[in-house]
Amino acid sequence: MKTDEQNDPASFEATAPASAELPPTAPCTVVWCGGRPYVLESSTGHTRWIGTDHRGRPVSLTSADLQRRGWSHTRAS
C-alpha cells in the first residue's frame, strides 16, 4: 500500500532536482528562481515567465532561461 507522500505529486516536485525538470506549462503557475517569484503568462500563442529583477523592474524569461538558472516550486529559505 502506498503512503500519502508517495501518492502526492507535489512531494515529488518539491524533492526532485530542478535541473532534471522542465518548468510547468499551465498559465498563471508560480515558480521561484533566484529568490524571486515568476508567473507564467500566455499571450497570442507565446508563453513567458514574468517577474522582477533586484531593482523591481519587470523581467521576462523563457522556460529555457528558467531551467538554465534553476527554479523551484517553493521559495528557497
Side-chain angles (χ1 to χ4, degrees):
M1 181 170 188
K2 291 185 176 183
T3 65
D4 288 339
E5 185 176 306
Q6 291 171 326
N7 292 330
D8 183 12
S11 65
F12 171 75
E13 291 170 350
T15 58
S19 61
E21 289 185 63
L22 293 175
T25 57
C28 299
T29 300
V30 177
V31 298
W32 293 86
C33 180
R36 301 186 182 285
Y38 287 85
V39 177
L40 183 62
E41 292 186 351
S42 180
S43 172
T44 62
H46 299 285
T47 58
R48 59 188 179 160
W49 291 92
I50 305 298
T52 59
D53 67 7
H54 66 282
R55 292 188 175 178
R57 298 176 294 202
V59 174
S60 174
L61 299 176
T62 65
S63 291
D65 290 335
L66 265 184
Q67 189 176 15
R68 203 172 19 258
R69 293 177 183 204
W71 63 275
S72 172
H73 284 284
T74 58
R75 183 178 183 176
S77 312

